[in-house]
Amino acid sequence: MPKAENLITVKELTKTYKTGNLEVFALNAISLNIDKGEFLAIMGASGSGKSTFMNIIGCLDYPTSGEYLMEGKDVLTRDKNELAELRNSKLGFVFQSFNLLPRTSAQENVELPLLYNNKVEASIREKKAIDALTSVGLSDRLGAMPNELSGGQQQRVAIARALVNEPLVIMADEPTGNLDSKTSYEIMGIFQKLNDEGITIVMVTHEPDIAQFAKTNIVFKDGNIIANHPVSDRKIATEELIKIATLTDEKSTT
Amino acid sequence: MKFFNLFRIAYRSLNRNKLRSFLTMLGIIIGVASVIAMLAIGEGSNQTIQKSISSLGTNSIYIFPGTNSNGGVRGGAGSVQSLTLEDADAIAAHCDLVKYVSPIVQRRSQLIFGPKNWNTTVMGIRNDYMLIRSLNVTIGNGISEADQRTASKVCLVGVTVIFNLFGDENFNPIGQIIRINSIPVKIIGVLSKMGQNTFGQDQDDIVLAPFYTVQKRMMISSDHIGSIIASGKTELQVVDAVDQITSLLREKHKIAPSDAIDFTVRTQSELSNIFGSITKVMTILLASIAGISLLVGGIGIMNIMLVSVTERTREIGIRMAIGAKGKDVLLQFVIESILISIVGGLIGIIMGIVVAELVATFGGWPVVITPLSVIVSFGFSSAIGLFFGWYPARKAAALNPIDALRYE
Ligand SMILES: Nc1ncnc2c1ncn2[C@@H]1O[C@H](COP(=O)(O)OP(=O)(O)OP(=O)(O)O)[C@@H](O)[C@H]1O
Ligand SMILES: [Mg+2]
C-alpha cells in the first residue's frame, strides 16, 4: 500500500470560550493528522468539542492557539478573504440543519458556490449544478424549493452544493442528525461513493452505526481525543440498504 | 464577470423576497411621491400668484383710504373714507412722475335682463383704468370721454356677466339694455376674458361704467371714492412717484409731519412681496408635510431592513460558509439597495407627477414640478434605503461565518 498523502495536520489546537469569569476549554491541545482519501467519523458526548473542532478545520472559526496546516501550508496566518477562497474551492460543508437558502430552488442553491468562484465560467455553471444534483439522485427535482423537499432530499441538495466546486474535503456536522435510519444510510451511500472517488470526508455523528460507515473513528471527551482507531467491521451502505429492503419485504409478506 | 455574478445574486435575492422588497420600495415611493406632489402644488400656486400680480402691471400704484400697515392691504378701506375725487385730480395735475390716474368707486349691484338677474361688482372708473390694467374690449367699443363727461348710462361687461344674463358666453350683447339697481344701462363693449385670479376670484364677473355714472347715479350720494389707481412713468420711477403722491396727499389732507397719514399707498412690487411671503409660508407648510412623509417612509424602510436582520444574518452565514467574502456580501446588499432605490424612486417620481397632475386637472389647482424636489426626495430616500441595507450587512459580514450561522 502506497503511503497516503497528508491533507490536514493540527498541532496543539486549543479553543477556549469565556463566559463570565469561567473559561471553558472546548478544545484542549488537540493534535491530529488526516490523510487524503480518509473517511473520518468523530464521536463523543454532547459538549465534548466535536463541532468546535469541525468549525476550526472547516475555516469557519479561528482557534485560540495552535497550528493548522492544509496540504503542508499554514492556514491560520491567512486573512478572512483567503479563508473564504479556501472554503469555496477546497471545502464543502454539510450541516445538520441543511442550511439551504430559503425560497431558492435546489439548482440555484447548488449554483451558489459557483457564483462566488471566479474560475467557473457562466456557461458551464448550470451543467455543473445539474451534474452535482444528478450524482446525489435529484436530477428530477432541480426546480424544487427547500420546503417542497423531504429532509433527506434537502440534505442531498446540501451535499450537491458541497460537491459542486470539486472540493478536497467534505465537512459534515451530524449530517444524519435529523434523518431516519434508511435515509441516513442513503446519505452514507453517497458519502462512501464520493470517498471512493477520492474526496476526503470528515463527519461528526452521535450514532455508532453511522460511524461504522467511516474508515476511522475518533472519540472526543471534554476537548480531548480519547480514542483513534480504524473501523474493524466497516459497513457498506449499498449492502445495508439491500438488507433493509429484504427485511421490510419479509415483514410485509408475513 | 464577478460583478455580474453579484448582480445576479442580488437580483435573485430581491426576487425571492418579493414582499420585503416591495415594502422597502413602498417607503421610498411614498416619500418621493409626496414630496414631489406637495412641492409641485406649492410652487404652482406661487408662480400663479406672481404671474397674476405682475399681470396687474408692474408699475401700478394703489392708493387706499385708511391705514393698515400689518400687511392687510385693504383692511382700512371700509372703515375710513378719506379719499375724494379731488385727490385723484390733484395727483393727475401735480405729480409729474405719474402717467395715468383713475379714481375707483365700486359697489355690489343687482343686474336684471328680462327674467334673469345676477349680482356682481359694478366699478366706476376713468378711461386711464383700462390703460393701467391693460384691459381690452373684444367686441364693441370702449367708454368714450364724452360718456365720461356726461355720465352716460353705458357699460362694459365681462364674459361671466354675459353668461349669467344671456345664457351664453359667446352671445353678442352689444346694444342690449340691462338694469343695474333698476337704472337702465346700455352695453357698449365686452371685456377680454381674464379668467380667475390667484384667489379663485372670477375676474370676468365685472361691469365697468364711467366714473360719474356710478358715483352720481348709483351710489348713495357721497363725495368719497373707494380707491385710486395710478401708474408710474417707468418702473424705476415708481418709488419716487409714491413719494410725490404721499407728500401731495399729506398736504391736501392737512396732516402735520408728525401725524400718521389717513391713506395707504402701495406699489405693485410691495403687493408682490406681501403675496410672495404668503405663498412662501404655504410652501414651507407643504414642504413640512412632505418632509414628514419622507421621514415616515424612511422609518418604514428602516423597520423592514432591521426586522429582516436575523434572517439575513443567517443567510450571510450560509453564503460565507460556501465561500462568499465579506465584501461580496456587502456589495450584494448595496446592489440590492440601489436596485430598490432606483425602481422605488422612479415609481415614486411617476406617482408624484401623476398625483400633481390629478390635482391640477380635477382640483383646478396649478402645479409646477421642480427638479429640486425630485432630486432631494429621491436622494434622501435612496440614502436611507442604502444605509439601512448596508449597515446591518456590514455588521454581519464582519462576523466569523460560524457566528453569523448561529445568529439569533
Ligand atoms: N459560542 C460559544 N460560546 C461559549 N461556549 C461555547 C460556544 N460554542 C461552544 N461552546 C462550548 O464549548 C463546548 C464544546 O461545544 P461543541 O459545540 O463543540 O460541542 P459538541 O461536541 O458539538 O456537542 P453536540 O454533540 O451537542 O453538538 C461546550 O461546552 C459548549 O458549551
Ligand atoms: Mg455539535
Side-chain angles (χ1 to χ4, degrees):
Chain A
M1 211 167 111
K3 190 173 175 337
E5 224 180 309
N6 185 257
L7 179 65
I8 287 173
T9 305
V10 295
K11 287 181 194 142
E12 304 282 313
L13 207 62
T14 302
K15 177 82 177 178
T16 57
Y17 290 109
K18 275 203 186 74
T19 38
N21 304 343
L22 212 70
E23 211 175 0
V24 180
F25 276 80
L27 292 181
N28 199 356
I30 299 259
S31 296
L32 185 70
N33 279 313
I34 303 174
D35 290 336
K36 275 195 181 155
E38 175 65 285
F39 188 162
L40 183 71
I42 302 174
M43 309 272 291
S46 188
S48 55
K50 304 182 297 291
S51 295
T52 308
F53 180 71
M54 282 285 281
N55 293 335
I56 290 171
I57 63 169
C59 304
L60 295 172
D61 205 358
Y62 285 97
T64 314
S65 66
E67 226 179 284
Y68 175 11
L69 306 176
M70 183 180 286
E71 296 183 298
K73 280 175 264 171
D74 195 2
V75 171
L76 298 177
T77 52
R78 302 184 199 186
D79 68 17
K80 282 189 166 183
N81 286 344
E82 290 170 320
L83 289 188
E85 272 174 34
L86 188 73
R87 286 195 298 271
N88 184 259
S89 58
K90 304 222 161 141
L91 308 180
F93 291 93
V94 178
F95 301 94
Q96 178 176 357
S97 52
F98 318 134
N99 275 340
L100 298 177
L101 284 192
R103 298 183 291 281
T104 304
S105 73
Q107 186 183 330
E108 283 183 11
N109 260 297
V110 176
E111 277 181 17
L112 214 53
L114 300 173
L115 285 170
Y116 290 112
N117 188 342
N118 280 333
K119 295 182 195 88
V120 177
E121 296 293 326
S123 50
I124 55 165
R125 199 158 51 215
E126 197 174 312
K127 185 182 176 306
K128 274 181 159 264
I130 294 173
D131 285 351
L133 281 164
T134 309
S135 74
V136 297
L138 278 179
S139 54
D140 54 338
R141 303 304 305 272
L142 301 177
M145 299 292 159
N147 61 354
E148 297 162 1
L149 295 171
S150 72
Q153 287 171 327
Q154 289 187 54
Q155 197 59 299
R156 288 195 222 185
V157 174
I159 294 171
R161 185 178 64 184
L163 279 181
V164 75
N165 263 330
E166 292 155 26
L168 291 174
V169 199
I170 287 183
M171 309 271 176
D173 193 348
E174 302 193 35
T176 59
N178 286 349
L179 306 174
D180 65 28
S181 59
K182 179 166 174 280
T183 316
S184 301
Y185 286 9
E186 284 167 4
I187 298 294
M188 285 307 110
I190 295 171
F191 277 0
Q192 285 187 331
K193 189 184 85 183
L194 295 172
N195 187 235
D196 290 344
E197 289 164 7
I199 296 177
T200 307
I201 293 179
V202 181
M203 169 179 82
V204 169
T205 183
H206 269 124
E207 300 146 86
D209 62 322
I210 294 296
Q212 280 196 290
F213 288 92
K215 289 177 177 164
T216 309
N217 284 0
I218 63 175
V219 182
F220 271 66
K221 192 181 179 205
D222 299 336
N224 295 298
I225 297 177
I226 56 162
N228 184 345
H229 54 82
V231 177
S232 47
D233 49 344
R234 190 180 182 209
K235 287 187 182 173
I236 304 299
T238 42
E239 294 167 8
E240 297 300 319
L241 283 167
I242 292 169
K243 275 188 213 164
I244 293 180
T246 43
L247 264 174
T248 41
D249 272 0
E250 275 167 24
K251 264 188 198 158
S252 54
T253 45
T254 49
Chain B
M1 178 204 148
K2 189 62 183 278
F3 182 77
F4 185 75
N5 280 356
L6 285 175
F7 197 84
R8 175 185 293 261
I9 289 169
Y11 175 75
R12 281 183 181 174
S13 166
L14 288 179
N15 199 34
R16 110 180 145 244
N17 298 295
K18 287 201 182 66
L19 186 63
R20 185 176 71 204
S21 309
F22 171 73
L23 289 175
T24 314
M25 229 179 254
L26 197 64
I28 293 178
I29 293 172
I30 292 172
V32 171
S34 58
V35 169
I36 290 175
M38 293 286 182
L39 293 185
I41 293 166
E43 183 60 25
S45 25
N46 202 356
Q47 289 194 8
T48 322
I49 288 173
Q50 292 301 342
K51 206 166 77 194
S52 68
I53 285 170
S54 60
S55 79
L56 296 176
T58 44
N59 49 3
S60 319
I61 300 166
Y62 301 85
I63 304 140
F64 305 107
T67 53
N68 189 338
S69 50
N70 300 335
V73 179
R74 314 194 74 172
S79 50
V80 191
Q81 293 194 316
S82 57
L83 293 177
T84 62
L85 180 59
E86 279 171 37
D87 290 333
D89 288 340
I91 291 168
H94 300 296
C95 297
D96 56 356
L97 296 175
V98 171
K99 195 170 179 190
Y100 300 117
V101 182
S102 169
I104 298 172
V105 281
Q106 63 179 23
R107 86 178 272 201
R108 302 279 315 171
S109 310
Q110 202 68 23
L111 312 187
I112 302 169
F113 178 79
K116 298 205 170 167
N117 68 93
W118 182 244
N119 191 282
T120 191
T121 304
V122 175
M123 272 180 128
I125 41 98
R126 289 263 170 85
N127 290 349
D128 276 5
Y129 180 86
M130 306 288 282
L131 299 168
I132 297 167
R133 296 279 323 265
S134 335
L135 297 181
N136 295 312
V137 173
T138 47
I139 312 173
N141 298 306
I143 298 166
S144 70
E145 286 307 320
D147 291 331
Q148 289 285 1
R149 270 198 311 278
T150 57
S152 52
K153 293 184 247 178
V154 296
C155 69
L156 308 174
V157 291
V159 288
T160 304
V161 174
I162 299 174
F163 175 79
N164 284 292
L165 287 184
F166 303 101
D168 179 7
E169 217 179 83
N170 298 317
F171 181 82
N172 184 343
I174 306 300
Q176 301 291 340
I177 310 284
I178 57 172
R179 290 178 175 273
I180 304 178
N181 292 342
S182 352
I183 300 160
V185 178
K186 189 165 99 184
I187 297 175
I188 57 166
V190 176
L191 292 165
S192 59
K193 192 167 176 162
M194 288 181 285
Q196 290 190 349
N197 73 5
T198 324
F199 310 102
Q201 260 175 351
D202 182 357
Q203 300 185 89
D204 299 312
D205 188 8
I206 193 141
V207 173
L208 296 182
F211 177 77
Y212 284 131
T213 310
V214 178
Q215 195 203 28
K216 297 223 165 103
R217 296 182 196 275
M218 299 179 195
M219 307 291 277
I220 305 143
S221 102
S222 163
D223 290 337
H224 294 288
I225 58 175
S227 60
I228 300 170
I229 187 168
S231 68
K233 281 227 160 70
T234 68
E235 221 177 310
L236 290 176
Q237 287 171 311
V238 167
V239 177
D240 293 332
V242 167
D243 287 346
Q244 266 191 346
I245 293 168
T246 309
S247 54
L248 177 80
L249 291 185
R250 244 179 201 284
E251 206 176 298
K252 274 194 67 79
H253 292 192
K254 300 192 171 61
I255 298 164
S258 55
D259 288 346
I261 50 175
D262 59 355
F263 57 90
T264 306
V265 186
R266 290 259 184 253
T267 64
Q268 189 55 53
S269 60
E270 281 176 302
L271 285 179
S272 300
N273 290 344
I274 291 166
F275 290 119
S277 63
I278 294 173
T279 55
K280 203 184 247 162
V281 169
M282 196 165 80
T283 309
I284 289 172
L285 183 80
L286 289 171
S288 329
I289 297 173
I292 291 169
S293 7
L294 210 54
L295 200 70
V296 170
I299 291 172
I301 297 170
M302 194 171 84
N303 266 334
I304 297 294
M305 290 306 206
L306 291 183
V307 161
S308 61
V309 158
T310 306
E311 198 199 31
R312 309 224 79 176
T313 303
R314 293 212 51 178
E315 177 190 327
I316 289 170
I318 296 173
R319 289 179 186 280
M320 291 203 294
I322 60 174
K325 294 172 188 149
K327 64 176 199 290
D328 295 336
V329 170
L330 259 184
L331 203 54
Q332 173 200 338
F333 279 57
V334 169
I335 294 172
E336 279 183 31
S337 304
I338 289 174
L339 285 179
I340 284 192
S341 300
I342 289 177
V343 175
L346 288 180
I347 297 175
I349 289 171
I350 293 167
M351 293 248 308
I353 292 172
V354 167
V355 169
E357 291 302 326
L358 285 180
V359 168
T361 317
F362 294 105
W365 192 277
V367 297
V368 174
I369 292 154
T370 55
L372 186 72
S373 68
V374 176
I375 293 166
V376 167
S377 58
F378 186 83
F380 184 78
S381 313
S382 14
I384 290 187
L386 235 132
F387 180 77
F388 286 101
W390 167 81
Y391 182 69
R394 197 201 61 151
K395 277 175 76 175
L399 295 175
N400 273 340
I402 197 65
D403 295 325
L405 272 173
R406 286 219 194 99
Y407 189 85
E408 251 145 32

